[in-house]
Amino acid sequence: MKKSVYGICGMCTVRCPMMSVVEDGNLLTIHGNPHAGGIKGSLCARGAAGMALVNDDERPQFPMIRTGERGEGKWRRATWDEALTYVAEKLSKIKAEYGAKSILLSDRGGPFREIYRAFLRGLGTPNYCNHDSACARNVQHAALSVFGFGRKTVSYDLKNAKHVVLQTRNIFEAINVKEVNDLLDAKATGCKITCIDVRASVTAAKADNFFLIRPGTDYAFNLAVIHELVTKGLYDKEFVEKWFHDFETLATFIAPYTPAWAEAETGVPAASIEKLAVQLSEAAPSVIWHPGWMTARYSDSFYMSRTAYIINALLGAIGAKGGLPLANGPGDVGKKGIKDLMAIYPKPEEQRVDGAGWMQERSHFEAGPGLVNLAYEAIATGKPYPIKAYIAHRHDPLMAFPDPKDVKSLWEKLDLLVAVTFSWSDTAWHADVVLPLSPYLERESTIATKKGGNPFFFVRKRTVEPRFDTKAEWEIYCGLAKKMGLDKLAFDSIEDIWKYQLDGTGYTIEDFEKTGMVTLGAGALCREPDEKTFKTPSGKIEMVCAKLEKDGVPSLAPYVSPERPPEGKFRITFGRCGVHTQGHTVNNPLLNSQMSENLVWINAAVAEKLGIADGQYVEVATANYSGRIKAFVTPFIHPEAVFMVHGFGHTLPVESRARGKGVADNELMTQGIRKWDKGGGAVAMQEHFVEIRTAS
Ligand SMILES: Nc1nc2c(c(=O)[nH]1)N[C@H]1C(S)=C(S)[C@@H](COP(=O)(O)OP(=O)(O)OC[C@H]3O[C@@H](n4cnc5c(=O)[nH]c(N)nc54)[C@H](O)[C@@H]3O)O[C@H]1N2
Ligand SMILES: Nc1nc2c(c(=O)[nH]1)N[C@H]1C(S)=C(S)[C@@H](COP(=O)(O)OP(=O)(O)OC[C@H]3O[C@@H](n4cnc5c(=O)[nH]c(N)nc54)[C@H](O)[C@@H]3O)O[C@H]1N2
Ligand code: SF4
Ligand SMILES: [Mo]
C-alpha cells in the first residue's frame, strides 16, 4: 500500500517541509509538503535529487577508524559499538588529562542541534561552535549591534513587499523555496527588485534596477543612500522619532558621503543612487533591503550589513507589513515552546576557548555559537587553554574555510578528530574516525520550531530504512552518552525523545501525523515593535553600540576604499548556483549530471587583452596554488573581479564523479582563515587576488 511520510528536506540548510510517497518500504517519489505555506508543494532541484543521495554508493557506508596518517585514506572498518567505544574512551582520556573544556564540536547550525549540544553540556565543555564565521556572522553581529537582537528575530515579508533590494544576495540561485515563491508572487503584483552585484546573476536578470558595483564598495553605496534619505528628508520621521536613540550622530557622520562621492568609489552613477533613494521612500515601509546572507567577504562587510539594517529602520520597515516584521515564537501566540533537551544538564561555567563574549576585543561577540576559526587558533597555540578533541558534525571546514593546508596545520595538535557526516568530505577524509550518518530520508530528527507569522513545530520521520550501516544523530550521541555514563541523555528511542520535547506543550507526536507539522498560531500576524523589542541599553535602535566601542570597534566606521587589484590580477569573488549545495552535492549523480564543473567568469574586455576565449581552459593561480578551469567570458562581470561557484575542485578518490573537476575557490585564499573581522567576526574571503593565465 502507498503511504505518505512527512519529513524535512536535508539537501541544504533551508530545511523545507517535505513529503515522501513509499510503498512496501520502497521510496517512490518526494515532494514539497503540500500543507506547508509558501513552498507550494515543491522542492528545488537539489531537494528533488535527494533520492539519488540515498541510492549513491559513494558515501561513507560504515564506521571507519584511521590506520594510516591523517588524510592518507587508510581505514579499517569498525562496528558501531567499536567506533563509539573508541571515541568515548578517547574523549574520557582527554577529559581526564586536560579537562572537559578541551573538547570542541562545530556544526553547520540549524534546527536540530539540541541533542549534541546537550551531550557537550553533559561532558562539561562550553566549546560548541557553528560554521557561521564562514557565512552570516557579520549579519548576525550587525543586527545585534543595531537592534540588540539577532538576525532571525525579524523575518522578510517578501510576499507583501513593494521594493526589495538584493545586495550580495542572489535570491533566485541561492535558493530558499518559500522566499523565491514569495518574491515572484510579489513581483507579479508590482514589487520592484533592485539587484546590486559584481556580476549579472539570475537575480539581476529579474531585477528592475541592476547596479554592477565595484567589488568591495557596497558600504560606500549604502552610506550614500543613507545620505540621500537623511539630507533629503526621505526617511520615516515618525518611526525615527519614536525608535531611534541617536539619529543626530548618524546625520553628522554621513555628511561627507554624497552620491557623487560614492559614484567614484562604486562606479554606480550618482543619479541612480539618488533615484533609488526616492523609489525606496515611495515604497516605504513595505521595503526590504536585504542585509545579506553569505557576507564573509570583506573587511567591511559587517558595516555593509549594519548600514542595510539602518536603511530598513530609516524607512520604517522594521515591524512593517512587506518589510521586516518581528517573527513570532510559540510564546508570542500564547503557546508553550518545546522542552529544551539542553536543559538536561547545566550550562558549563568555564569560559569559551574562542574568547567570544568575554575576552578583551572579543566581548561583543555572541557567545552562543562563538567563532570556530578562533577556536582553531587555540588548538595551535594552546591559549587560552588547549583543545585536544574536535568533532566536526555536519561541517566540512577544509572546504568551508580558506586554505585547507593552513587549516590542517592549525589542527595538528589534536589527539582526536571525528567527522559525523552523510557524504565524503575533505574533513571526513582527514579525520581519525568517521561516524557515517544516514541521509535524511533514512533517519528521523528531533522536533524543532520555526518562528514566523505563524510559528510551527516540525519533525522529520524516517522514510526508508538505511541501506548501509549508518545511523541517525540521536542514535550516535545517545550511544556515546550511554558509553560515557551520561544516563539522562541515553535515550533508547526517538519516541522517548519526542515525548520529552513535547512534555508540557499540550501536543503529542500523533498531532504531527496528518501534515508533518503542528501550527501554533493560526491567523497570527507578524508583530510591530514595542518597548520590549530592541534589546539595546536604551531600548531603541542605536547607531553607536557601546559593546563595540568598548572593544575598540567603531560603530560608525569611516569608509576605507578597497585596494585595486595589482596589474594582471583580479579579486576573487564567489557564490552559489541553483543546482548544488556548497561542496556536498557535487558528487550527487543527478546534480553532477546538471553541472559537473565550475567555470571562472572573466570580463570580456579583460579576456580579450589576455587572449582568453570563452570556453577555453585557463589557469587560475596564486603564489601557492594553481588550478585548471574553463573560462566563461562575459561583459556582465566587473573587470576587477573573477567569479567562481564554490564547492568544486574535489580531489578524493572516493568521489569518482566530482574528482578533478573545476577549482576550489578556497585554495586561492592563502592563509585566509587568519583574516577575520574584528567587528563582525567573519573571515574576509574576498580580500585575495589571483592571476589568470592561458593553460598549456
Ligand atoms: N542553490 C543553493 N542555494 C543555497 C545554497 C547553496 O549552496 N546552493 N546555500 C545556502 C547558504 S548556506 C547561503 S549562505 C545562501 C547564500 O546566499 P547568497 O549570499 O545570496 O549567495 P551567494 O551566491 O554566495 O552570493 C550572492 C551574490 O553576491 C555576489 N557578490 C560577490 N561579491 C560581491 C560584492 O562585492 N558586492 C556585491 N554587491 N555582490 C557581490 C555574487 O556574485 C553572488 O551573485 O544560499 C543558501 N541557498
Ligand atoms: N571559499 C568559500 N568558502 C565558503 C563559501 C564560499 O562560497 N566560498 N561558502 C560559505 C558558506 S555560505 C557556508 S554555509 C559554508 C558551508 O560549509 P559547511 O558549513 O561545511 O556546510 P556544508 O558544506 O553544507 O556541509 C558540511 C558537511 O556536512 C555534511 N552534511 C550535510 N547535511 C548534514 C546533516 O544533516 N548532518 C550531518 N551530520 N552532516 C551533514 C555534508 O555532507 C558536508 O560534508 O561554507 C562557507 N565557505
Ligand atoms: S531549498 Fe531546496 S535543497 Fe534546500 S531545503 Fe528547500 S528543497 Fe531542499
Ligand atoms: Mo551559508
Side-chain angles (χ1 to χ4, degrees), residues 281-501:
S281 74
E282 285 167 0
S286 299
V287 168
I288 300 167
W289 188 298
H290 202 292
W293 190 349
M294 199 301 174
T295 49
R297 296 186 193 265
Y298 298 105
S299 49
D300 66 357
S301 293
F302 171 61
Y303 293 102
M304 175 190 77
S305 292
R306 268 181 59 87
T307 44
Y309 280 124
I310 290 171
I311 293 170
N312 285 309
L314 287 171
L315 293 165
I318 306 301
K321 185 175 175 188
L324 293 81
L326 294 156
N328 290 312
D332 299 309
V333 295
K335 295 284 165 63
K336 231 179 136 206
I338 43 179
K339 199 161 115 193
D340 191 352
L341 283 162
M342 280 163 62
I344 293 177
Y345 296 106
K347 195 171 170 218
E349 275 162 22
E350 302 278 2
Q351 298 282 27
R352 300 183 56 89
V353 79
D354 54 21
W358 67 275
M359 203 184 272
Q360 202 182 1
E361 296 184 353
R362 300 181 189 180
S363 70
H364 66 286
F365 293 132
E366 191 185 24
L371 296 165
V372 74
N373 47 315
L374 302 185
Y376 297 165
E377 233 171 59
I379 299 174
T381 61
K383 291 196 176 103
Y385 52 81
I387 290 288
K388 290 291 174 184
Y390 176 28
I391 303 174
H393 177 106
R394 193 186 168 211
H395 191 191
D396 182 10
L398 295 180
M399 177 66 90
F401 280 112
D403 197 344
K405 216 184 273 152
D406 187 40
V407 176
K408 283 178 197 167
S409 79
L410 292 172
W411 291 351
E412 261 166 30
K413 292 189 182 149
L414 288 173
D415 290 343
L416 179 69
L417 175 59
V418 180
V420 184
T421 176
F422 62 61
S423 71
W424 275 111
S425 67
D426 293 341
T427 302
W429 196 250
H430 195 68
D432 306 334
V433 183
V434 178
L435 299 178
L437 192 75
S438 304
Y440 65 99
L441 290 162
E442 298 180 342
R443 72 180 198 265
E444 52 287 281
S445 73
T446 48
I447 298 168
T449 310
K450 181 82 185 164
K451 287 183 173 185
N454 285 312
F456 56 89
F457 295 150
F458 61 116
V459 71
R460 174 189 288 139
K461 296 279 185 74
R462 188 179 293 219
T463 306
V464 288
E465 287 307 310
R467 281 183 63 214
F468 301 119
D469 192 16
T470 58
K471 285 199 186 295
E473 275 107 343
W474 73 267
E475 293 174 301
I476 296 174
Y477 291 98
C478 293
L480 283 174
K482 196 170 282 172
K483 291 203 181 287
M484 298 187 75
L486 300 172
D487 294 340
K488 283 191 265 178
L489 191 63
F491 291 95
D492 286 319
S493 73
I494 189 70
E495 285 76 18
D496 289 347
I497 297 179
W498 290 335
K499 208 162 145 203
Y500 171 97
Q501 290 188 286

Side-chain angles (χ1 to χ4, degrees), residues 49-66:
M51 284 168 72
L53 169 66
V54 173
N55 295 329
D56 190 3
D57 289 358
E58 291 193 353
R59 57 180 166 98
Q61 299 181 2
F62 38 77
M64 271 169 290
I65 298 173
R66 173 169 71 81

